Amino acid sequence: AQQSFDQHDPSRVGSAALDWTRISFQRRGLMKKADVEIWLKGYVKAWKNNSPKDIAKLFTEDAYYSTGPFDEPWIGHEAIIDGWVGLGDQPSDWSFDYEVIAVDGDLGVMHGTTIYKSAGTFSNIWLMRFAKDGRCKDFREWFVRKRD
């Protein structure tokens, strides 16, 4: 099922902290679709508030975060937080719909659509590899802007 998050409706994401105890990967070493969806809800929460604490909760201390195949990756909490906050996305600037399309072992794959008020519409593919504690250790995204 596709998830939809409109920044003008904060009740869509909720304010509860990411509940790592609900991620079954910790017990079995295999991610389930529901585990990836829990992680993605935490990601959207962090995207909405740009809180360094919420961003850090999502990733291992030495995580690799790539914003594109030709971009310099952000490695580690400090670089990920600086890069993320440095992008300057504000909660009222975007809406985001997504669907988890595949899960295999520690790998989750998401397809999403981001609509920015000023930058337009983007189609996204994210590959996320997870550590045994449910945090992401390798995040790679690809996005394509919709032609007008």
Side-chain angles (χ1 to χ4, degrees):
Q2 190 165 12
Q3 302 290 319
S4 179
F5 296 97
D6 181 344
Q7 295 308 347
H8 304 290
D9 183 4
S11 67
R12 300 287 296 197
V13 175
S15 60
L18 188 58
D19 184 0
W20 295 114
T21 62
R22 293 181 47 205
I23 295 181
S24 61
F25 180 64
Q26 294 174 351
R27 295 183 297 278
R28 291 186 323 281
L30 297 173
M31 291 295 278
K32 288 184 155 184
K33 184 176 181 180
D35 299 326
V36 177
E37 289 171 347
I38 289 169
W39 188 88
L40 285 166
K41 285 180 182 178
Y43 185 102
V44 171
K45 178 185 178 214
W47 193 3
K48 285 181 66 172
N49 65 29
N50 287 321
S51 161
K53 182 178 175 183
D54 287 343
I55 297 165
K57 282 184 196 177
L58 297 167
F59 299 96
T60 61
E61 288 76 9
D62 61 347
Y64 178 100
Y65 190 118
S66 174
T67 59
F70 305 110
D71 297 336
E72 188 70 30
W74 306 332
I75 300 173
H77 276 172
E78 185 176 341
I80 291 170
I81 291 166
D82 289 349
W84 181 312
V85 173
L87 290 175
D89 287 352
Q90 297 301 310
S92 62
D93 293 345
W94 56 269
S95 64
F96 182 61
D97 296 316
Y98 71 84
E99 179 179 11
V100 176
I101 58 174
V103 180
D104 185 17
D106 70 345
L107 176 66
V109 182
M110 183 276 322
H111 173 251
T113 302
T114 309
I115 302 173
Y116 290 97
K117 286 182 180 178
S118 61
T121 301
F122 293 82
S123 181
N124 312 278
I125 295 290
W126 295 354
L127 302 182
M128 301 151 288
R129 288 208 178 271
F130 295 92
K132 292 203 183 285
D133 65 2
R135 294 180 298 160
C136 186
K137 63 182 180 181
D138 189 332
F139 180 94
R140 297 169 192 254
E141 68 177 315
W142 289 264
F143 54 89
V144 178
R145 184 175 182 198
K146 180 179 179 183
R147 295 183 183 151
D148 294 328

